[in-house]
Amino acid sequence: MDTASYVGSARMFIEHGAYVQPSNPEIVKTWNTPFYPLFIAANMVLFGDDLGVDAVILWQIVFLYLTALITYRIVLPHSGLAALVAQAIVLFNPNSLITLHYTQTETLFTLILMAAVYLLFRIGRDISLMQGVLLGALAGLGAMTRPVLFMPCW
């Protein structure tokens, strides 16, 4: 999906309260994932139609920083220097720096994925019910953001 399609889907959420086709609001939109358009819609409701889309870009800058911070925390137990290098690679990756300026799912999805990976590393083999619920929620959000999410099961 492109930016216009995500924003159009967000407008449908606002106008109809459902994830429906812009051309025919009677038909539910089932071929794309709804979480990112819902995220855009929430920003549009909070900040207005035009400013809400700009707010998404600002959120994505924050998300990239949080992703880099999570990466640092994942690598830190192995090496402090490697953790700094990994954080810099995530933070200054040209692809990430470019895509965060577009209304695309990559930045939000990467944050959700890295949060799930961090939780998996923290859990190890002993998982509590709360950790399992949180991991399931992250997996669900990731799959509803981009359908390519694959979570290993142990």
Side-chain angles (χ1 to χ4, degrees):
M1 282 178 67
D2 61 349
T3 298
S5 183
Y6 286 122
V7 173
S9 294
R11 284 195 177 104
M12 291 292 102
F13 266 127
I14 295 167
E15 292 173 15
H16 299 281
Y19 194 53
V20 294
Q21 292 184 20
S23 60
N24 186 354
E26 299 295 319
I27 300 174
V28 176
K29 194 173 189 179
T30 57
W31 60 89
N32 298 110
T33 54
F35 187 65
Y36 192 71
L38 185 60
F39 170 68
I40 295 170
N43 280 281
M44 291 169 76
V45 167
L46 287 172
F47 303 110
D49 213 37
D50 292 330
L51 192 55
V53 176
D54 293 337
V56 168
I57 304 302
L58 293 175
W59 277 114
Q60 289 182 165
I61 293 169
V62 172
F63 294 163
L64 178 62
Y65 177 76
L66 291 174
T67 301
L69 188 61
I70 290 169
T71 303
Y72 174 84
R73 298 285 302 194
I74 290 170
V75 180
L76 185 60
H78 305 289
S79 165
L81 178 60
L84 285 173
V85 170
Q87 183 179 28
I89 288 170
V90 169
L91 198 55
F92 300 112
N93 177 337
N95 186 51
S96 295
L97 290 173
I98 291 168
T99 58
L100 72 84
H101 291 88
Y102 295 104
T103 311
Q104 300 289 327
T105 61
E106 283 80 0
T107 307
L108 178 58
F109 173 76
T110 304
L111 173 63
I112 294 168
L113 178 65
M114 290 307 292
V117 169
Y118 176 71
L119 185 58
L120 280 172
F121 274 103
R122 292 230 18 214
I123 291 171
R125 297 211 181 264
D126 299 321
I127 187 168
S128 69
L129 177 62
M130 188 59 169
Q131 290 169 329
V133 168
L134 182 56
L135 189 57
L138 287 170
L141 283 176
M144 295 304 281
T145 304
R146 283 182 74 104
V148 297
L149 181 66
F150 171 76
M151 295 298 295
C153 299
W154 290 316

